[in-house]
Amino acid sequence: MTKVIRVEHLSKAYHLGDFGTGTISRDLERFWAKMRGKEDPFLKIGEVNDRTTKGESDVVWSLRDINFDIEQGEVTGIIGRNGAGKSTLLKILSRVTSPTTGSVKAKGRIASLLEVGTGFHPELTGRENIYLNGAVLGMRKQEIKQKFDEIVAFSGVERYIDTPVKRYSSGMYVRLAFAVAAHLESEILIVDEVLAVGDWEFQNKCLGKMNEISKNEGRTVLLVSHNMGSILGLCTRCLLLNQGSIELSGDPQLVVQRYYQQGREVKLQQLKSNADIYLKEVFSCDARDQPTTSFSHAEEIGLSMLVGVNHFDPIQNIGIALLTKDKRRVFTVNRSLKEFYTPGEKEVRVKFMIEKELIAPMDYSFLIALNTRTGIVTYDLHEDICPIKVYDNGTDFAFAEGIDYGCIILNDKWKKMN
């Protein structure tokens, strides 16, 4: 396939505080280096854009040695924490700002939706801004006119199309801006997190439109979003940025899983007790028994437990409850220890599994109790243990990620009644 974007050794540095070097001679030296296409001689190498710590330099690298290619018709998601460099990358690709070093080569016209109001003149009406944006993309008036009715219908702001956009709400702004970017004849569409301003219905409409122009029209889409359901449901490829560098690139499912694992350490709970039975070790794990704290809705969730046995009794029991982040119980299960115990053992390892495609995307933790079957005696109890993240892999609720729509997603069955 044809490569429409090529990014090579791209870096972007920002100066904090004063912009000058302190002397006229150094300012001239910096200007001369820029004119020759050379790197700024006064940049301090190595400072990364970590907002959580105070650096020693007045220069931060928002992007550092970025390299990737994008092929025609690809829908590429760009994800990462706040401050990772996502918006800076899109601004460079959109030619809103220039890189400090490296190069970007794009084949075709680029339509961008970076933030509310970008590319719109507040004093002009919606109608005038549509023609203005089309002219910026190099389209003739007749071409814009042919698309005009379609743009207005998609945006849903027909009543206000002859009103200056400075009087629009942020939602109306985004509706019209996306409609213009998606319908005018550009080969590349770049969309930042700005779609989050719109309501659920419009977000779904936008995602459907991006999917349509990619598959049916062969246009290339770059999307920055913190809604992983949208990324997984729409994108064919994903880039994970971390402190200005690409940490992982490839299959969206794998990249999203790595994103959720950033900053979420897998903690093994090492515990000792003199009780008859006690929890010696516990960790969440995947279907291959590998420790992890992030799970797709479409994969099995495992909990591996090592139970220490000082004195075995047939009435001993393992109880497990899944808890939401506000400590509501999703379910409670019990299983007799005698099902797993072999006489003489000092410890028993068991694995509890939650079936795939059941638990709704959300943050959870576990409650684990070792007790008698009747609950009269509790040997060991641990609440709010093994925190996990279940993320959306493109369910029907992907557009509502972060909204509490229940703790399980039913494999529901319906039929028409006569």
Side-chain angles (χ1 to χ4, degrees):
M1 293 184 70
T2 305
K3 288 183 173 59
V4 294
I5 296 178
R6 170 161 286 181
V7 175
E8 295 179 318
H9 305 294
L10 182 69
S11 297
K12 179 64 177 179
Y14 286 103
H15 292 258
L16 303 179
D18 295 333
F19 292 100
T21 59
T23 66
I24 294 176
S25 62
R26 287 191 171 190
D27 285 345
L28 290 173
E29 192 174 342
R30 170 180 287 169
F31 173 76
W32 179 239
K34 184 177 181 180
M35 291 295 292
R36 292 180 297 153
K38 302 293 185 181
E39 185 173 338
D40 187 339
F42 299 104
L43 291 180
K44 297 179 181 180
I45 305 301
E47 191 77 18
V48 296
N49 185 25
D50 185 356
R51 66 189 186 282
T52 62
T53 60
K54 181 174 176 59
E56 298 178 356
S57 170
D58 290 333
V59 175
V60 295
W61 291 90
S62 183
L63 296 173
R64 191 69 171 170
D65 197 28
I66 300 291
N67 296 274
F68 63 88
D69 294 331
I70 295 179
E71 296 183 343
Q72 181 180 345
E74 273 193 325
V75 182
T76 302
I78 302 174
I79 63 175
R81 294 180 178 182
N82 292 334
K86 306 182 297 298
S87 294
T88 300
L89 176 58
L90 293 196
K91 287 177 181 177
I92 293 175
L93 294 176
S94 303
R95 300 190 177 99
V96 173
T97 187
S98 57
T100 304
T101 62
S103 65
V104 175
K105 297 176 182 178
K107 187 177 181 180
R109 292 174 292 190
I110 299 175
S112 302
L113 185 57
L114 300 180
E115 57 187 54
V116 176
T118 300
F120 275 17
H121 193 296
E123 299 295 335
L124 299 180
T125 66
R127 182 187 301 274
E128 291 166 337
N129 271 295
I130 291 174
Y131 281 95
L132 175 63
N133 273 259
V136 169
L137 285 172
M139 297 178 65
R140 296 190 301 273
K141 185 176 181 179
Q142 187 59 33
E143 292 179 287
I144 304 170
K145 190 175 182 180
Q146 290 173 354
K147 294 278 187 178
F148 184 85
D149 290 341
E150 194 177 347
I151 291 170
V152 175
F154 186 92
S155 68
V157 296
E158 183 175 2
R159 185 178 181 183
Y160 310 100
I161 198 64
D162 291 311
T163 300
V165 296
K166 67 181 181 181
R167 297 195 178 99
Y168 285 15
S169 68
S170 58
M172 290 167 61
Y173 234 122
V174 169
R175 281 175 168 270
L176 185 58
F178 181 86
V180 170
H183 287 84
L184 295 183
E185 298 298 331
S186 61
E187 285 72 34
I188 301 168
L189 175 62
I190 296 178
V191 183
D192 205 342
E193 185 66 38
V194 67
L195 286 184
V197 176
D199 54 38
W200 292 357
E201 179 188 0
F202 186 68
Q203 287 183 39
N204 266 351
K205 197 175 181 180
C206 292
L207 294 173
K209 184 62 178 178
M210 285 189 279
N211 191 46
E212 176 190 326
I213 64 176
S214 170
K215 291 183 177 179
N216 299 341
E217 302 176 24
R219 293 163 66 183
T220 304
V221 179
L222 277 78
L223 172 67
V224 164
S225 179
H226 289 287
N227 186 323
M228 296 302 111
S230 299
I231 293 291
L232 290 167
L234 182 65
C235 298
T236 55
R237 181 184 173 202
C238 197
L239 303 177
L240 173 61
L241 293 185
N242 186 13
Q243 293 187 0
S245 298
I246 295 179
E247 181 173 322
L248 187 63
S249 171
D251 178 71
Q253 190 82 21
L254 298 177
V255 176
V256 167
Q257 186 163 4
R258 175 72 67 84
Y259 166 72
Y260 277 129
Q261 288 176 336
Q262 286 182 347
R264 295 176 65 93
E265 298 178 358
V266 178
K267 295 184 178 180
L268 303 185
Q269 307 290 334
Q270 300 288 351
L271 307 162
K272 293 183 178 180
S273 175
N274 294 320
D276 288 354
I277 56 174
Y278 62 97
L279 195 60
K280 197 171 183 180
E281 179 185 282
V282 58
F283 59 91
S284 54
C285 59
D286 59 23
R288 300 180 302 280
D289 299 333
Q290 296 300 308
T292 184
T293 60
S294 63
F295 301 87
S296 159
H297 165 72
E299 66 180 319
E300 190 177 77
I301 300 170
L303 191 64
S304 178
M305 294 165 285
L306 185 63
V307 179
V309 181
N310 290 322
H311 175 74
F312 174 74
D313 192 302
I315 63 172
Q316 291 165 347
N317 177 78
I318 304 172
I320 299 173
L322 182 67
L323 309 175
T324 63
K325 56 186 176 184
D326 56 1
K327 305 303 174 281
R328 288 183 296 137
R329 289 199 185 202
V330 180
F331 60 73
T332 303
V333 295
N334 289 279
R335 189 58 59 97
S336 177
L337 182 62
K338 67 181 180 182
E339 294 186 28
F340 313 104
Y341 181 71
T342 300
E345 286 184 324
K346 292 299 181 182
E347 57 184 32
V348 179
R349 183 171 294 280
V350 297
K351 181 181 179 183
F352 166 67
M353 291 152 287
I354 303 174
E355 64 184 88
K356 62 183 181 180
E357 298 181 343
L358 174 66
I359 302 301
M362 216 185 302
D363 292 322
Y364 300 93
S365 62
F366 291 92
L367 179 150
I368 302 174
L370 303 181
N371 51 21
T372 58
R373 190 69 178 175
T374 58
I376 295 176
V377 177
T378 298
Y379 304 103
D380 204 357
L381 175 66
H382 300 276
E383 296 186 64
D384 200 18
I385 199 172
C386 292
I388 63 171
K389 172 81 176 183
V390 180
Y391 60 87
D392 203 311
N393 63 309
T395 71
D396 291 341
F397 297 94
F399 71 95
E401 184 168 318
I403 304 297
D404 185 357
Y405 49 84
C407 301
I408 63 172
I409 297 180
L410 291 175
N411 183 16
D412 48 337
K413 296 177 174 60
W414 300 68
K415 69 177 182 178
K416 182 179 179 180
M417 301 294 290
N418 293 324

